[in-house]
Amino acid sequence: MPPLRIGPHEVETPVVLAPMAGITNPGFRRLCREQGAGYYVCEMITARGLVEKNPLTFRMIAFDADESPRSMQLYGVDPTSLGRAAEMVAERDLADHIDMNFGCPVPKVTRRGGGAALPFKRELFRRIVRATVKGAGDLPVTVKMRIGIDDEHHTHLEAARIAVDEGAVAVALHARTAAQRYSGAADWSAIARLREAVPAHVPVLGNGDIFSAQDALDMVARTGCDGVVVGRGCLGRPWLFGDLEAAFAGRELPAAPNLGQVAATLRRHAVLLCEHMGDHKGIRDVRKHIAWYLKGFPVGPELRRSLGMVESIDHLDELQSGLDPHEPFPAEADGPRGRQGSPGRVVLPEHWLDDPDDPSVPFAADVGHSGG
C-alpha cells in the first residue's frame, strides 16, 4: 500500500483512528501511536462550543507536543458556526487537519439534523463543507459519513461528490446506514461504489468491521479503498495498529500478546490517562476499558469486578498480580467488540425528509452543546 496523503500530510501506514467520544483523548491516542503509524483523530469538537470559547471544549483540544499531524474532528449543523470554528482552528494553530462529522447516528445528534442525518439536506451540506473549507484556509478538510439515513435514503455518493467539489481532500465512509447504528455487517460494497464515484486523486477511506489486520487487507482488496478507519476494533487492543502497520508493509504480524503483555499495556494506558486527566479522573476513566482488555481471558468474576473499581495505579498493580502472565491470547477475544445494539428508526427533525434542497438550519440545532 502506498502512503496515505491528507493534503500536505503523509503517513506510511494508511490507517486512521476514528474519533470516539470519551475514548480518543490524548492518553489513548499516545498509546495507539506508540503501537504504529497512522492518523489519530481527537474526540469530536462542537463548532459552537469552539466559537463560544467554551472551557470544556478547549480542554478537549489537547495534543501531545510530538503529535503530528494534529487531527481534529468538528461537528455542527450551522455553516456560519463551522466556518468560524475552522477559522479559529487555523488562526490559533489548534490543529493541522480538520475532519467533519457526518456519520454519527446517535438520536440526540440526528434529531437536530446533525451527523448522519445532514447529508440528506444536500444544499445545507454543501454550504457547511464550503464554509469549513474556506475558514480552514490552508488546512486540509476531510469528510466522514455513512451510507445514508436508512435503506430508502442513501446519500453517500452524492454527498461525496459535493464534498470533493467544495474542497474536501478525502472522504471516509462507515459502510452502514444511520438506522443500522452499529448492528449487523458493514456493506463494504458501498465503499467500492464510492471509490468508483470519486476522482482517483481523492483518497477514499473505508470504515466498518475492521477488527483485525486481515479485515483491513480484505477491505482494501475488495473495495479498492486507499486506507481504513478503525474504531471499535481497537478498544482494549491498541496493538491492532502495530498489526496494521506490519500488514500494510508486507511484514509478518507480531505474535498476539499473552495476558502479561495485555496487563502491561493496560497499565500503560492507565498511566497515560492519569498524566492527562489527573490521578483521580484518569484511573476512573480507565475502568471502562478493562472489560475490553480482558475479553476472552479466563479471569474470575471477583477479580474482574475489583479491576472494574480500581482506585489507583498501585491498586491496579496489586490486582494484576493475581493474573497469570503466561495465559495465551484467547480466540474468544477476536472479532467484534464495543457497542453493537440493534437497528432502529432514525430520529429526525420534523419534515426533514420533505425537501433535500432546503438549506435551512433546523431551529435550535446548535443551542445545546457539551463542549465535545
Side-chain angles (χ1 to χ4, degrees):
M1 289 287 293
L4 176 59
R5 176 173 288 277
I6 302 294
H9 309 296
E10 181 177 284
V11 293
E12 289 298 320
T13 305
V15 173
V16 178
L17 169 65
M20 291 178 281
I23 302 290
T24 55
N25 52 45
F28 185 71
R29 296 200 308 274
R30 171 170 281 281
L31 184 69
C32 294
R33 287 191 295 116
E34 291 174 349
Q35 309 296 318
Y39 289 90
Y40 295 94
V41 188
C42 76
E43 297 178 75
M44 182 184 79
I45 302 298
T46 62
R48 184 177 176 122
L50 185 58
V51 170
E52 294 181 351
K53 301 180 178 63
N54 181 283
L56 176 57
T57 302
F58 276 86
R59 284 198 296 273
M60 291 175 66
I61 304 172
F63 297 96
D64 287 336
D66 62 346
E67 192 167 352
S68 179
R70 298 164 300 163
S71 295
M72 175 192 296
Q73 188 179 72
L74 279 181
Y75 163 80
V77 182
D78 185 343
T80 301
S81 292
L82 277 156
R84 289 175 179 170
E87 286 180 6
M88 288 181 65
V89 173
E91 290 172 357
R92 299 190 179 201
D93 190 28
L94 299 177
D96 305 309
H97 156 226
I98 294 173
D99 183 51
M100 303 187 71
N101 181 340
F102 299 109
C104 183
V106 176
K108 69 178 181 180
V109 170
T110 61
R111 70 162 43 97
R112 291 181 172 175
L118 205 148
F120 178 80
K121 293 290 193 181
R122 53 197 174 210
E123 185 55 34
L124 178 59
F125 175 79
R126 180 185 297 278
R127 295 183 184 189
I128 285 174
V129 177
R130 179 184 298 162
T132 305
V133 170
K134 180 180 179 181
D138 293 334
L139 298 183
V141 174
T142 58
V143 166
K144 185 183 179 189
M145 63 187 74
R146 285 193 173 226
I147 292 174
I149 293 174
D150 51 33
D151 285 340
E152 286 70 47
H153 302 91
H154 285 193
T155 56
H156 65 295
L157 297 180
E158 184 173 22
R161 294 188 190 100
I162 291 172
V164 172
D165 286 346
E166 296 301 332
V169 300
V171 291
L173 179 67
H174 184 153
R176 287 181 171 88
T177 64
Q180 284 182 269
R181 297 171 188 167
Y182 297 91
S183 67
D187 179 10
W188 289 359
S189 67
I191 301 171
R193 291 191 293 273
L194 181 61
R195 177 60 284 176
E196 294 172 355
V198 171
H201 71 276
V202 177
V204 168
L205 308 174
N207 179 215
D209 297 349
I210 301 294
F211 299 111
S212 69
Q214 189 60 54
D215 290 336
L217 296 178
D218 290 345
M219 175 184 280
V220 171
R222 287 167 51 182
T223 69
C225 66
D226 303 281
V228 299
V229 180
V230 178
R232 294 173 298 150
C234 69
L235 297 177
R237 288 192 301 189
W239 54 85
L240 176 58
F241 292 99
D243 292 351
L244 290 165
E245 186 176 81
F248 281 122
R251 301 194 307 267
E252 183 177 354
L253 266 60
N258 59 28
L259 185 52
Q261 293 166 315
V262 170
T265 304
L266 170 57
R267 187 185 193 281
R268 173 65 174 159
H269 193 169
V271 168
L272 290 171
L273 289 177
C274 288
E275 289 177 355
H276 170 58
M277 300 178 169
D279 291 348
H280 179 68
K281 288 184 178 180
I283 203 67
R284 290 179 66 87
D285 194 70
V286 82
R287 293 174 180 176
K288 64 174 175 274
H289 295 270
I290 288 174
W292 293 323
Y293 276 106
L294 298 180
K295 180 180 178 181
F297 282 103
V299 178
E302 184 174 340
L303 181 53
R304 285 181 183 270
R305 280 195 298 271
S306 297
L307 283 164
M309 299 179 67
V310 64
E311 296 288 346
S312 66
I313 297 295
D314 289 342
H315 189 206
L316 179 63
D317 290 340
E318 177 187 344
L319 292 172
Q320 290 201 140
S321 68
L323 300 174
D324 177 3
H326 304 294
E327 185 67 38
F329 194 80
E332 293 84 353
D334 288 330
R337 54 185 52 221
R339 57 185 173 182
Q340 291 175 276
S342 56
R345 183 179 66 86
V346 181
V347 182
L348 299 168
E350 189 174 5
H351 303 301
W352 187 251
L353 299 177
D354 289 355
D355 181 4
D357 291 313
D358 180 4
S360 303
V361 177
F363 176 73
D366 279 349
V367 167
H369 63 73
S370 65

